[in-house]
Amino acid sequence: MRIGILGAGQLGRMLTLDGMRLGHEFSLYDPAGKASAGVGTIYNDPDGQHLATFLNETDVVTYEFEHLPLDLVNRIATEKPVHPVPRALQCCQNRTLEKALFRDLGINTAPFEVVESAEALQAATQRLGGRVVAKSATDGYDGKGQAVLDTPEQAPQAWPRLGCDTAIAESFVPFRRELSIVAARGQDGEMAFYPLAENIHHQGILRFSIAPAPHVTPELEDQAQRMIRTLMNELGYVGVLALEMFETEEGLVANEMAPRVHNSGHWSQNGAVTSQFENHIRAVSGLPLGETAALQPTCMINLIGETGPVAEILRLPYTHLHLYGKAGRSGRKVGHINILADSLEELRWRAMNTASLLPECPEFDWRP
Ligand code: AMP
């Protein structure tokens, strides 16, 4: 099958690498003209001149990036099958729609209000009570997009920092840890769920994922699977979906979803029977889904800014290195390392040791 991917970054690269093993052919289309994937047939097309050619050589279209122009994706959907369904993209591009979808489906999420001015933010913060996180409804930029308010009086200073016309004000969730679930749904409605991952962020960027997350009770796993199953069924979803959640004393609170393969699922390349990338391609090409069970406790470490000492990393007998072929730049994801171990304690030591080799990597300060 000839598969077209909208977006051509590292996710497109890894989808292509896994999908080629299934005999598929890949074309990657980047409407922003910033392709870095380095595999498949690449269309860097900021002027839209090559869209017809790209579509001519694809049987099915998917995407690896949620900030695509929605009208472009809707137009493509009139000509070719697009998976996941464009409505998923639309919801993920706008927190107002996303939170409303969670609420309407009975998916537990932080109490929130939609606000369109500093005054409205102040009033919403007053009503929500306690600490509030304000987030721009659509993508923030240049460090804008989010602010934490301890009191309603902070609204006039916080509002301009969001850099938007519409925002969500939501209650701050006192979470124990951040978890995510990645799942796949096939064209026949078959579903497969990966074990939950525990995610550690630093300066707003995911640094470490540990999977399967330890101390996940069957009830917690069940709650996560119910939430993502509800979302996928409602949307008629085909492909891989990720849901980021907070774990609290009272169970899980959904934060946001991503309609694509997800950084917190990269561990599955080495740590699961079938990677999230292969399962996404299986789903969009109408094939049966692969087994999602974990092989061993796994830790994924993102390489941010630069690749670090590649030879030293590779010398460690337990590392699997994945580089994206991208130039180093501050804050940019340029690769990741998957580490496997026989036990969580061994995993902890291996991850600590690996992290200590990496420039600008925070200490791996985690205990099972
Ligand atoms: P988001 O852009 O929604 O993924 O948020 C980025 C990060 O901000 C999350 O990974 C959390 O660490 C933190 N965060 C977001 N929303 C909340 C919230 N309601 N309560 C506490 N922390 C939050």
Side-chain angles (χ1 to χ4, degrees):
M1 204 174 231
R2 301 171 309 166
I3 297 178
I5 302 179
L6 302 175
Q10 67 264 22
L11 302 178
R13 176 189 180 91
M14 293 184 277
L15 285 165
T16 302
L17 290 173
D18 271 13
M20 285 179 73
R21 283 188 293 99
L22 295 173
H24 295 316
E25 287 171 31
F26 285 84
S27 302
L28 291 81
Y29 183 88
D30 189 343
K34 292 186 183 151
S36 66
V39 290
T41 305
I42 301 272
Y43 293 93
N44 253 321
D45 198 23
D47 304 322
Q49 288 174 356
H50 304 294
L51 183 60
T53 316
F54 164 76
L55 289 177
N56 258 332
E57 61 185 43
T58 59
D59 302 311
V60 58
V61 174
T62 185
Y63 45 91
E64 57 100 79
F65 178 60
E66 63 262 44
H67 301 296
L68 289 162
L70 190 62
D71 54 347
L72 171 72
V73 182
N74 279 327
R75 192 149 35 98
I76 291 173
T78 64
E79 292 187 40
K80 298 279 169 171
V82 173
H83 301 303
V85 57
R87 183 180 160 212
L89 194 69
Q90 186 183 17
C91 289
C92 294
Q93 285 181 353
N94 190 323
R95 288 187 196 272
T96 311
L97 297 178
E98 186 181 37
K99 295 282 277 186
L101 180 68
F102 289 169
R103 187 192 50 205
D104 295 348
L105 294 176
I107 291 171
N108 195 24
T109 187
F112 71 98
E113 291 192 27
V114 179
V115 292
E116 294 184 336
S117 66
E119 296 72 41
L121 175 60
Q122 182 152 355
T125 306
Q126 183 80 50
R127 278 191 295 272
L128 288 165
R131 195 176 240 203
V132 159
V133 185
K135 303 174 180 179
S136 66
T138 51
D139 201 31
Y141 56 94
D142 289 346
K144 294 188 174 181
Q146 258 191 51
V148 176
L149 289 82
D150 287 309
T151 64
E153 290 68 40
Q154 291 173 342
Q157 291 92 51
W159 180 254
R161 292 213 303 275
L162 301 176
C164 62
D165 298 328
T166 307
I168 290 275
E170 68 178 39
S171 295
F172 186 90
V173 178
F175 59 82
R176 279 195 197 135
R177 56 179 175 165
E178 296 190 66
L179 298 171
S180 60
I181 182 163
V182 170
R185 186 170 180 276
Q187 290 180 17
D188 58 359
E190 174 197 10
M191 286 189 232
F193 306 92
Y194 286 93
L196 271 56
E198 177 174 338
N199 303 316
I200 300 168
H201 297 86
H202 179 73
Q203 294 170 344
I205 305 178
L206 180 70
R207 299 291 166 146
F208 307 103
S209 283
I210 300 106
H215 315 301
V216 171
T217 59
E219 291 74 30
L220 213 61
E221 186 110 49
D222 194 55
Q223 194 194 352
Q225 290 189 3
R226 261 189 286 125
M227 293 199 289
I228 201 162
R229 182 188 296 116
T230 304
L231 285 165
M232 292 197 298
N233 281 337
E234 162 67 21
L235 294 166
Y237 199 91
V238 172
V240 162
L241 177 70
L243 179 64
E244 295 183 63
M245 304 161 297
F246 302 122
E247 184 188 0
T248 71
E249 303 280 326
E250 288 85 39
L252 295 171
V253 176
N255 179 32
E256 63 177 6
M257 61 179 188
R260 52 169 169 81
V261 285
H262 194 253
N263 199 168
S264 71
H266 289 5
W267 67 273
S268 64
Q269 289 171 308
N270 305 101
V273 179
T274 314
S275 80
Q276 62 164 348
F277 301 99
E278 180 173 332
N279 258 336
H280 184 76
I281 296 302
R282 286 189 189 213
V284 303
S285 60
L287 295 171
L289 301 177
E291 171 63 47
T292 46
L295 298 166
Q296 275 189 305
T298 308
C299 178
M300 189 278 321
I301 307 183
N302 266 338
L303 299 173
I304 312 284
E306 53 179 301
T307 59
V310 165
E312 265 185 87
I313 296 166
L314 289 174
R315 218 168 266 128
L316 299 172
Y318 43 78
T319 54
H320 300 268
L321 180 62
H322 300 259
L323 295 181
Y324 308 154
K326 286 161 73 172
R329 195 198 307 143
S330 174
R332 196 179 202 200
K333 293 176 182 172
V334 295
H336 65 273
I337 301 169
N338 286 334
I339 298 167
L340 274 70
D342 289 326
S343 68
L344 286 169
E345 199 49 35
E346 186 178 58
L347 187 68
R348 175 172 165 252
W349 284 102
R350 288 180 171 184
M352 264 178 13
N353 189 34
T354 309
S356 73
L357 295 176
L358 306 175
E360 289 182 51
C361 184
E363 198 187 329
F364 185 67
D365 182 19
W366 175 89
R367 279 171 196 279

